[in-house]
Amino acid sequence: MRELAAVDRALDDVLVQLGGIVLRLSSPQLTRRGEERRALARSVNQYSICAASSDDPRVQRLKLELQEALKPRLRLVDSR
């Protein structure tokens, strides 16, 4: 049983590292084109699937941050 808990912790650590990488890639400077945004969306969706079975709060927090990063950024346009 302890071995399973150790594997679970190791997987959570990997998910935290992976989530950090994807979060850095979600920067607007790196994902400007539509193709880049679609690739980011696929990565975030895949991460969310993997994170769904984790109870680690770090993994869940990253999942929420990544999902927020996918939301369109609104720009204020002045028409004067």
Side-chain angles (χ1 to χ4, degrees), residues 62-76:
L62 276 167
K63 177 180 149 187
L64 293 175
E65 286 181 48
L66 287 168
Q67 290 170 341
E68 284 295 317
L70 281 184
K71 292 184 179 176
R73 292 171 183 85
L74 299 178
R75 291 185 290 177
L76 198 58

Side-chain angles (χ1 to χ4, degrees), residues 12 16 47 51 54-65:
D12 286 337
V16 168
Y47 183 85
S54 174
D55 293 330
D56 190 314
R58 302 171 300 164
V59 173
Q60 297 305 316
R61 185 175 59 248
L62 276 167
K63 177 180 149 187
L64 293 175
E65 286 181 48

Side-chain angles (χ1 to χ4, degrees), residues 15 18 22 38-53 59 63 66-67 70:
L15 280 172
L18 179 62
V22 175
R38 286 188 295 278
L40 175 64
R42 284 191 304 271
S43 295
V44 170
N45 289 335
Q46 194 64 39
Y47 183 85
S48 296
I49 291 168
C50 295
S53 61
V59 173
K63 177 180 149 187
L66 287 168
Q67 290 170 341
L70 281 184

